[in-house]
Amino acid sequence: MQQVYFLTQTKHQNNDIYTYKDDHMWVFNNIDEWHENYFPFFSKRTLKRVIKNVKMKDT
């Protein structure tokens, strides 16, 4: 979660208007990109499960 927070704050500080929508800052990556660039210590299956759980809590 800290990595996602960092990414959104960096984009916000740089006034990245392409990732700001509906009063939220968005970070776009697919599972392969998250795994390769940020979370190589997690399996892709674990990343999918974590993302799914976060989505479920948001609803």
Side-chain angles (χ1 to χ4, degrees):
M1 293 306 295
Q2 181 65 31
Q3 184 63 40
V4 174
Y5 177 78
F6 171 77
L7 290 170
T8 59
Q9 292 305 303
T10 302
K11 288 176 175 290
H12 183 72
Q13 289 170 357
N14 293 332
N15 293 319
D16 187 344
I17 61 170
Y18 299 106
T19 56
Y20 190 76
K21 185 177 179 181
D22 299 327
D23 295 326
H24 296 291
M25 191 61 65
W26 296 87
V27 178
F28 298 97
N29 288 304
N30 62 38
I31 293 295
D32 291 331
E33 291 168 332
W34 282 114
H35 181 258
E36 183 178 326
N37 297 321
Y38 303 108
F39 302 107
F41 44 87
F42 288 138
S43 69
K44 290 179 186 178
R45 184 176 178 185
T46 298
L47 286 173
K48 288 177 184 179
R49 186 177 65 247
V50 168
I51 291 169
K52 180 180 178 182
N53 288 337
V54 170
K55 285 180 179 180
M56 291 176 67
K57 289 181 181 184
D58 189 43
T59 58

